[in-house]
Amino acid sequence: MAHRIDLPPHLTSRPFALGEALSAGVGESRLLGSDLDVPFRGVRAPASPGDLMALCQAFARSTVGGLPVVDPVSAWLQLAGGSTLDELVVAGDHLVRIPARRDDLRRPFCTVDELVQRSRECRGRGATLARRAAELVREGSDSPQESRLRLALTRAGLPEAVRLVRAALAAHPESSWP
């Protein structure tokens, strides 16, 4: 009978991310041990933890107001498992949008390049859809309706509209074709 290798002490009492365990020298085969639960992809937990906050902290990439949250790109990739192509593109357009007024310094939430790169690395449910959607995400959309219109027009055979530089006018055209 093979001897089970013990986990490092700091991983024995709480859920942990696979990357954290690998960085601590835990082998991949050890992470498949029957004494570890798999509450969700990328996380292992010693025997039924039951603590939701601990599970969230193991999966989280950052915190907001002290609560563990995933980063915007991870959230977008999770949406891919239950969204249509257009819904995912609309969400991606929102993430990369640079507002006309720079009140919110946290915007954009990510770049198109980040969506493309992370979608290429993604495996599992929705991965193919995420890759297709990432290639269709654009920075210039100001609304979900504008994103949907862009997708419908390009599917109908029109070339993509040129993104306009905003002038200090009361009104501005949404799209322009050369």
Side-chain angles (χ1 to χ4, degrees):
M1 183 164 147
H3 173 67
R4 178 176 292 142
I5 299 169
D6 290 335
L7 292 172
H10 70 283
L11 300 179
T12 60
S13 60
R14 62 176 179 78
F16 54 87
L18 291 180
E20 180 183 5
L22 293 170
S23 294
V26 177
E28 290 183 20
S29 61
R30 175 62 181 96
L31 295 171
L32 300 173
S34 62
D35 63 322
L36 296 176
D37 284 339
V38 182
F40 43 90
R41 187 178 178 169
V43 173
R44 297 296 182 270
S48 302
D51 180 0
L52 180 60
M53 185 61 85
L55 287 174
C56 291
Q57 286 170 336
F59 192 66
R61 294 184 182 239
S62 62
T63 60
V64 174
L67 295 174
V69 296
V70 296
D71 64 283
V73 179
S74 294
W76 182 80
L77 290 169
Q78 290 172 14
L79 289 174
S83 299
T84 66
L85 177 64
D86 286 7
E87 290 168 339
L88 203 55
V89 171
V90 166
D93 282 358
H94 174 74
L95 291 176
V96 303
R97 181 177 179 268
I98 300 170
R101 290 188 359 221
R102 294 295 295 188
D103 301 10
D104 188 351
L105 299 178
R106 297 172 295 169
R107 299 294 300 265
F109 295 112
C110 64
T111 66
V112 174
D113 288 343
E114 287 175 286
L115 291 177
V116 169
Q117 180 61 38
R118 294 271 304 278
S119 68
R120 288 179 182 159
E121 297 166 358
C122 182
R123 301 290 177 263
R125 187 170 178 237
T128 302
L129 184 67
R131 286 188 282 281
R132 287 178 51 210
E135 297 294 335
L136 296 171
V137 170
R138 301 290 181 267
E139 288 179 355
S141 181
D142 285 334
S143 69
Q145 295 81 359
E146 186 176 340
S147 297
R148 290 184 191 104
L149 176 63
R150 175 177 51 84
L151 293 170
L153 292 175
T154 56
R155 285 186 187 124
L158 278 103
E160 270 200 49
V162 175
R163 182 172 179 214
L164 298 176
V165 176
R166 299 244 163 109
L169 301 173
H172 62 275
E174 294 292 326
S175 302
S176 174
W177 285 266

